[in-house]
Amino acid sequence: MKDWEAGIVRQIITEEQLKARVKELGEQITNDFKDDDAEFIVVGILKGSILFMADLIREIKLPLKIDFMEVSSYGDGFETTRDVKIIKDLDYSVRGKNVLIVEDIIDSGLTLKKILQLIGKRGPKNVILCTLLDKVTKREADISIQYTGFEIPNEFVLGYGLDFIQEYRNIPYIGVMDLEKYEKEKK
């Protein structure tokens, strides 16, 4: 049987911690926008945010619509190329709406800064950013994050939507990957 957790050396955020924090974020977002009449649209940044977004929107007790963007700034490597390429743009107009952008992890912030600028030019009422994980120590761009799940150290993490070569997204917790251990276990 294949080891679906090959290379993971430890959990840093458990499944239970994820569920509790997502519930708290949903309640906070609901409270912050319950008296705002503008349409509310949740935009997931594909592919990593999908599990977090699915759980989060179930906890937001507001009428809402969802949409997705897919962007790339990594090419085939682990470091950003600093060139943001839009692979899939929004299907709906955001003009006059409250737009909640949902991201899985923010490190340098360079990609998110470009996304925020792009959406901001489209006339939304508000652009709000919610991230599951924040690597504050890697930040290069000045961006404002309104909702943060967890601040994490500068380690290679995966699970709960975050991947390594498109694998590990279905791991129900956030784990730290040891690439050397992964290579040994995959042989």
Side-chain angles (χ1 to χ4, degrees):
M1 183 169 164
K2 293 181 181 180
D3 182 3
W4 73 314
E5 297 174 298
I8 298 175
V9 291
R10 72 182 186 285
Q11 287 187 37
I12 61 168
I13 304 170
T14 67
E15 186 174 2
E16 294 74 25
Q17 289 171 311
L18 286 166
K19 286 179 182 176
R21 185 65 183 130
V22 169
K23 183 173 180 55
E24 290 171 358
L25 288 169
E27 290 170 354
Q28 187 178 359
I29 293 165
T30 300
N31 287 332
D32 290 350
F33 289 90
K34 67 184 178 193
D35 297 323
D36 192 318
D37 291 334
E39 194 172 336
F40 197 84
I41 185 166
V42 180
V43 176
I45 306 301
L46 294 173
K47 297 176 184 164
S49 72
I50 192 73
L51 296 180
F52 173 45
M53 180 176 161
D55 289 344
L56 181 64
I57 63 173
R58 285 190 282 262
E59 298 296 339
I60 298 173
K61 308 305 183 207
L62 301 169
L64 60 80
K65 292 183 179 175
I66 64 171
D67 205 344
F68 295 95
M69 285 185 83
E70 185 173 5
V71 298
S72 176
S73 64
Y74 284 89
D76 296 328
F78 296 106
E79 296 295 324
T80 181
T81 63
R82 299 182 185 275
D83 181 33
V84 176
K85 176 181 170 187
I86 295 181
I87 298 166
K88 186 226 174 286
D89 204 344
L90 298 175
D91 293 328
Y92 303 107
S93 168
V94 296
R95 183 165 304 284
K97 299 174 184 170
N98 289 315
V99 180
L100 176 67
I101 298 174
V102 178
E103 180 65 294
D104 56 352
I105 186 168
I106 300 174
D107 44 45
S108 73
L110 296 170
T111 301
L112 254 296
K113 185 171 185 165
K114 299 232 176 157
I115 292 170
L116 292 168
Q117 289 170 343
L118 177 68
I119 292 176
K121 290 177 183 176
R122 296 178 180 179
K125 179 176 181 183
N126 290 300
V127 179
I128 310 106
L129 181 55
C130 179
T131 187
L132 176 63
L133 304 175
D134 188 5
K135 284 188 185 180
V136 178
T137 59
K138 295 267 300 194
R139 188 80 69 249
E140 295 178 41
D142 183 24
I143 57 172
S144 177
I145 305 169
Q146 287 72 36
Y147 305 100
T148 300
F150 302 90
E151 286 187 13
I152 62 168
N154 186 21
E155 296 184 279
F156 187 66
V157 294
L158 42 67
Y160 196 60
L162 286 87
D163 74 303
F164 174 64
I165 316 173
Q166 296 301 324
E167 295 180 3
Y168 298 94
R169 293 190 194 277
N170 59 325
I171 299 290
Y173 57 84
I174 303 295
V176 174
M177 168 71 94
D178 180 325
L179 294 175
E180 288 180 20
K181 183 177 180 191
Y182 169 82
E183 291 296 329
K184 288 177 188 173
E185 291 178 4
K186 284 290 188 174
K187 287 184 180 181

